[in-house]
């Protein structure tokens, strides 16, 4: 993956290429991929869908359910050139909404835990936390699923303190300090952990976050190789389907 410095303007132009790829209700329904995958996670009311749409400069890329907590699929988006995409964004279901029944909560907790623990091409996690409330117990529980991979440096972590426009300067500074204290517990020499104030309304942090995500994308060579592998996989699946029809 490239670590070159990228301007906010170029990064936002790249983020604007985001388009829907596929959706899955279970991990085994997600296509295998060699592309770097960035997961967006957060409580149902933390502004996750709004943040994704703001980064992509699209109004309805990520779907925000009128009933928070009821969207229970992992939605994948592709970014970069259409023929050789260089990153996936994975929009994971929001968690923690009170009206969702316990069975559904537990099922999705298990799905998200497994995704964060084992998804092979997971490169980064963008964790949306409401800046007015900080890390709740549920936020900390979610972090536990990915902490081993973050500490080893296998997965990067970027925390967005959302709705920062609702804070004054003193409150914003306090929110950052509190978040840094929580994340300091995860820090190692190998870990890549960041935190920033974010506002979809005032566009605070949008360009910087886009630049970070762009720096996590595959190189042209890696993207081309991944595209060839995806094409071969699709061809094999189609051949398997045809063989089953012929039986």
């Amino acid at each position: 993956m490239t670590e070159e410095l990228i301007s906010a303007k170029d990064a936002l132009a790249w983020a604007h290429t985001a388009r829907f790829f596929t959706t899955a209700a279970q991990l085994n329904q997600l296509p295998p991929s060699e592309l770097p995958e960035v997961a967006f996670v957060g409580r149902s009311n933390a502004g996750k869908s709004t943040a994704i749409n703001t980064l992509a400069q699209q109004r309805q890329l990520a779907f925000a359910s009128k009933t928070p907590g009821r969207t229970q699929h992992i939605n994948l988006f592709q970014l970069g050139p259409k023929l050789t995409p260089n990153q996936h964004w994975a929009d994971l279901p929001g968690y923690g909404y009170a009206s969702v029944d316990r069975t559904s909560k537990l099922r999705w907790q298990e799905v998200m835990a497994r995704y964060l623990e084992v998804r092979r091409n997971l490169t980064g996690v963008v964790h949306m936390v409401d800046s007015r409330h900080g890390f709740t117990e549920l936020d900390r529980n979610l972090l536990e699923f990915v902490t081993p991979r973050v500490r080893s440096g296998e997965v990067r972590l970027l925390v967005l303190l959302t709705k920062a426009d609702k804070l004054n300067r003193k409150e914003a500074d306090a929110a950052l300090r509190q978040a840094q204290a929580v994340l300091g517990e995860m820090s190692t020499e190998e870990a890549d952990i960041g935190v920033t104030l974010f506002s979809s309304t005032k566009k605070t942090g949008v360009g910087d976050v886009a630049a970070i995500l762009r720096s996590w994308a595959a190189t042209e060579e890696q993207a081309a190789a991944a595209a060839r592998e995806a094409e071969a996989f699709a061809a094999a699946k189609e051949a398997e389907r045809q063989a089953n029809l012929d039986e």
Side-chain angles (χ1 to χ4, degrees):
M1 277 161 276
T2 179
E3 297 291 344
E4 64 187 23
L5 292 177
I6 299 163
S7 72
K9 180 180 178 181
D10 289 344
L12 286 168
W14 167 81
H16 188 55
T17 67
R19 63 268 182 193
F20 178 76
F21 176 42
T22 190
T23 188
Q26 299 290 341
L27 292 189
N28 59 13
Q29 296 172 354
L30 288 172
S33 175
E34 297 301 318
L35 286 181
E37 196 159 283
V38 177
F40 289 77
V41 300
R43 285 175 61 89
S44 296
N45 56 356
K48 177 169 58 67
S49 296
T50 302
I52 293 173
N53 290 335
T54 299
L55 286 165
Q57 305 127 81
Q58 300 180 41
R59 290 187 177 182
Q60 295 181 321
L61 178 68
F63 177 72
S65 173
K66 293 181 179 180
T67 307
R70 294 293 176 86
T71 304
Q72 297 190 346
H73 286 74
I74 297 173
N75 293 316
L76 287 189
F77 307 103
Q78 287 186 334
L79 292 94
K82 288 189 175 181
L83 295 181
T84 54
N86 51 29
Q87 192 176 93
H88 284 161
W89 287 359
D91 181 12
L92 271 61
Y95 54 88
Y97 200 73
S99 70
V100 178
D101 66 89
R102 178 177 171 79
T103 300
S104 295
K105 284 182 182 179
L106 292 175
R107 183 174 72 86
W108 268 107
Q109 183 181 43
E110 181 179 352
V111 170
M112 285 197 289
R114 291 291 295 162
Y115 173 90
L116 294 171
E117 290 169 348
V118 306
R119 180 68 168 164
R120 191 168 62 86
N121 61 321
L122 181 65
T123 297
V125 171
V126 179
H127 189 179
M128 257 68 71
V129 174
D130 190 321
S131 62
R132 299 168 298 176
H133 308 303
F135 284 91
T136 65
E137 182 179 355
L138 285 172
D139 291 317
R140 289 172 179 262
N141 289 343
L142 182 133
L143 278 181
E144 288 180 5
F145 299 141
V146 76
T147 290
R149 300 179 77 181
V150 172
R151 284 179 170 163
S152 71
E154 180 186 354
V155 172
R156 300 172 172 95
L157 174 65
L158 176 61
V159 173
L160 306 190
L161 298 176
T162 60
K163 307 182 183 181
D165 55 287
K166 300 184 183 297
L167 304 181
N168 59 36
R169 182 61 180 270
K170 183 178 180 180
E171 292 168 336
D173 289 344
L176 273 173
R177 286 195 303 272
Q178 291 166 1
Q180 288 165 346
V182 172
L183 297 172
E185 299 171 7
M186 302 172 61
S187 182
T188 64
E189 290 186 3
E190 293 80 14
D192 184 344
I193 303 173
V195 58
T196 187
L197 294 166
F198 190 90
S199 169
S200 295
T201 301
K202 294 190 175 180
K203 304 300 186 287
T204 304
V206 174
D208 291 340
V209 171
I212 291 171
L213 297 179
R214 178 63 183 87
S215 75
W216 296 354
T219 64
E220 288 185 11
E221 293 79 7
Q222 291 168 332
R228 290 193 295 271
E229 290 178 3
E231 185 176 349
F233 176 78
K237 293 295 287 184
E238 176 60 20
E240 180 183 346
R241 188 184 72 85
Q242 291 292 338
N244 290 334
L245 289 176
D246 292 341
E247 290 181 358

